[in-house]
Amino acid sequence: MTHTTTGNIHQKHSIQDWIAVLSCLMMIAGMLHARALVSIGAIALFLNACMPGTIKQHWATIRKSRLALWSALFFASYLVSGLWSSNTAEWASRIVIKLPFLLLPFGFLSLPVHKLNMLRILIYGISGLLLINISQSLYTFMQNPGYYIESYGSSKLIPTSIYNDYIRFSLALVLTTLLNVYLVLEHWTRITKWDKFLAFFFILVLTGFNHLLATKTGLLGFYIMIAILGFGKIYNRNKLVAVLFLLSLPVLSFLAYLKVPTIHAKIDYVQKEIEQANDPNAALDYNYSDQGRIISYQLALNIIKEHPVLGVGAGDLKKAMADQYAAHYPLIPEENRLIPHNQLLFVMVALGCVLSLIFILMIVQPIFSKGPGAVYAIATSAVLIFAMMAESMLEVQFGVLVYLFFVLFVWRLRAVNSPAAIAAAL
């Protein structure tokens, strides 16, 4: 990978650089401790990119970016669905949640990832914020490990933050691990021994806690990331070793199952769900998390068949799902009625098959990345696409944050380390 960064590790930094870094750390801190910080950080980052002296350059860059274009069109697709949404209040709330798709690609242009010292501070800062919560979770777990291991049999996990959004937290663990790996692999000759020690420490801790937390999204996302990153980095050097690396991952997964009690309990719970689903005499039970998802898929598909072209509108999706529950599963309590637990199905119900193409193109575009650093973009997008197939994560603030933050972070890393022609097309 060819680097265009100049100077030594201690380059001079402007106030704008520090504002960008602090804004990003504020967004991650907001996901863990104070929701308002997410919005404050996002607005600060956008305004930082609008500073005199850089706004013209940023505008010229954003106009050439395919990723920014698809993000803006995704926002516009929800915006235009207001024309056939009768519930304008619900539609407006969906628009507010999607606003970062319009603002953050421009805001991330001010992120000084081309300055190695700033990049280190940012990656270590994100890792440190996660480490604080990991420490709190481990302390809670150690107070009564038997209780928490047993609770995994009913899909109750170790607390992770005040919001306990363990799915987004586990994704942040996986993708922050990837950023630390990037720092080590792509800047090995430019960072100090202490940097290498710190990066490896974060990689081990984040990976270890991800396995202890044992969410399906986090664990499978981790092995997807490792498979793509490892195979991509090894294949050009030794194809046989690359294949052996892939074959070793199931073995490592099995060892994790044997040695980590929370993973063992979680897999046993999943097996119970599978047995329940395969029993022809058993009705779908919404008390099982995966079967609750299956019910939401069935009802979403019913709505798509009835409104295939334009959907029901982003503002009317909840009502459409409520009507389906009332018609097909009236005994399920309202608090257990899920919206489509699949982002693609959610978009198709809300926007129809035509506008859903924008969403599909937006999320798959990084998968076809080529050139320097493409493997990081592919791995990041693959993990997030997998997560979106089990969660409608772009319909909640923290889901939008995790998706955009890491996709745009890797987008900026590739842009500053790529030839101008490639960077312009990102």
Side-chain angles (χ1 to χ4, degrees):
M1 191 168 180
T2 305
H3 296 285
T4 59
T5 51
T6 58
N8 59 32
I9 197 171
H10 299 294
Q11 290 174 283
K12 187 176 180 180
H13 312 304
S14 67
I15 294 177
Q16 197 172 0
D17 292 339
W18 285 108
I19 291 174
V21 169
L22 291 175
S23 297
C24 286
L25 294 179
M26 192 180 299
M27 286 189 280
I28 297 299
M31 181 182 73
L32 302 173
H33 302 289
R35 186 182 297 272
L37 292 177
V38 175
S39 298
I40 294 171
I43 293 170
L45 189 65
F46 175 76
L47 294 176
N48 191 51
C50 296
M51 296 288 285
T54 58
I55 187 171
K56 288 185 179 179
Q57 177 187 349
H58 291 161
W59 178 245
T61 301
I62 207 73
R63 290 173 59 190
K64 299 175 183 177
S65 169
R66 287 199 295 257
L67 180 59
L69 172 63
W70 290 119
S71 295
L73 288 174
F74 180 60
F75 171 80
S77 66
Y78 269 72
L79 186 66
V80 75
S81 76
L83 295 174
W84 56 92
S85 295
S86 59
N87 188 335
T88 54
E90 177 65 21
W91 166 79
S93 71
R94 296 287 168 196
I95 294 302
V96 171
I97 291 173
K98 298 297 184 299
L99 194 57
F101 282 92
L102 193 62
L103 302 182
L104 281 185
F106 191 81
F108 262 79
L109 292 176
S110 69
L111 202 63
V113 292
H114 59 291
K115 297 180 179 181
L116 183 54
N117 199 36
M118 288 279 97
L119 180 62
R120 291 161 63 243
I121 291 170
L122 186 51
I123 293 176
Y124 295 159
I126 297 167
S127 303
L129 289 170
L130 293 173
L131 185 61
I132 292 171
N133 283 73
I134 289 173
S135 300
Q136 294 171 341
S137 295
L138 286 175
Y139 176 79
T140 302
F141 176 75
M142 293 307 296
Q143 297 304 300
N144 195 345
Y147 166 78
Y148 284 106
I149 291 171
E150 185 178 350
S151 71
Y152 271 65
S154 56
S155 198
K156 296 178 182 178
L157 308 186
I158 306 168
T160 56
S161 72
I162 63 171
Y163 302 109
N164 209 25
D165 190 345
Y166 57 85
I167 294 177
R168 257 59 66 180
F169 186 80
S170 65
L171 287 172
L173 292 175
V174 172
L175 297 173
T176 304
T177 301
L178 183 143
L179 294 181
N180 280 281
V181 171
Y182 169 89
L183 186 64
V184 170
L185 293 183
E186 304 304 330
H187 292 282
W188 179 261
T189 59
R190 302 183 65 225
I191 58 177
T192 67
K193 291 182 180 179
W194 281 109
D195 284 315
K196 294 169 186 175
F197 170 81
L198 195 56
F200 278 119
F201 170 76
F202 282 130
I203 290 169
L204 290 174
V205 172
L206 298 180
T207 299
F209 185 75
N210 188 35
H211 282 72
L212 179 65
L213 184 60
T215 69
K216 288 171 284 188
T217 303
L219 283 177
L220 292 174
F222 173 79
Y223 285 102
I224 289 170
M225 182 266 287
I226 289 297
I228 293 172
L229 193 59
F231 186 80
K233 284 293 183 180
I234 298 171
Y235 185 78
N236 289 333
R237 299 180 181 180
N238 191 313
K239 294 179 175 58
L240 177 60
V241 173
V243 173
L244 292 175
F245 171 79
L246 287 182
L247 294 175
S248 72
L249 293 180
V251 177
L252 293 175
S253 302
F254 182 68
L255 289 175
Y257 168 73
L258 293 178
K259 298 298 183 181
V260 183
T262 51
I263 294 179
H264 195 105
K266 187 70 174 181
I267 291 177
D268 287 346
Y269 172 78
V270 172
Q271 287 176 335
K272 290 179 182 177
E273 287 194 290
I274 293 172
E275 291 172 3
Q276 178 79 3
N278 289 334
D279 185 351
N281 298 317
L284 286 175
D285 186 351
Y286 63 84
N287 290 304
Y288 287 95
S289 62
D290 284 341
Q291 294 197 39
R293 287 186 173 93
I294 292 170
I295 292 171
S296 76
Y297 300 161
Q298 290 178 342
L299 302 184
L301 289 170
N302 290 343
I303 300 171
I304 292 168
K305 291 175 183 177
E306 295 172 4
H307 305 272
V309 180
L310 295 177
V312 297
D316 293 350
L317 180 141
K318 283 187 176 180
K319 182 181 183 303
M321 287 295 294
D323 292 342
Q324 287 289 321
Y325 275 105
H328 299 284
Y329 295 96
L331 297 181
I332 295 181
E334 189 171 342
E335 61 271 17
N336 293 106
R337 296 180 177 185
L338 304 177
I339 59 175
H341 252 46
N342 176 296
Q343 188 62 53
L344 178 58
L345 288 178
F346 189 105
V347 173
M348 293 182 71
V349 170
L351 308 180
C353 297
V354 177
L355 291 178
S356 294
L357 292 174
I358 294 173
F359 165 72
I360 294 169
L361 291 170
M362 179 186 73
I363 64 172
V364 304
Q365 188 254 334
I367 294 291
F368 299 98
S369 299
K370 296 180 180 179
V375 67
Y376 298 101
I378 295 168
T380 299
S381 293
V383 169
L384 291 168
I385 289 171
F386 163 74
M388 284 188 283
M389 294 305 101
E391 297 286 336
S392 49
M393 63 180 289
L394 301 186
E395 305 308 317
V396 294
Q397 183 188 33
F398 294 160
V400 170
L401 168 66
V402 169
Y403 177 83
L404 284 175
F405 188 93
F406 290 101
V407 167
L408 292 174
F409 200 123
V410 174
W411 171 63
R412 291 303 299 143
L413 290 176
R414 291 198 65 215
V416 299
N417 292 312
S418 301
I422 296 177
L426 296 175

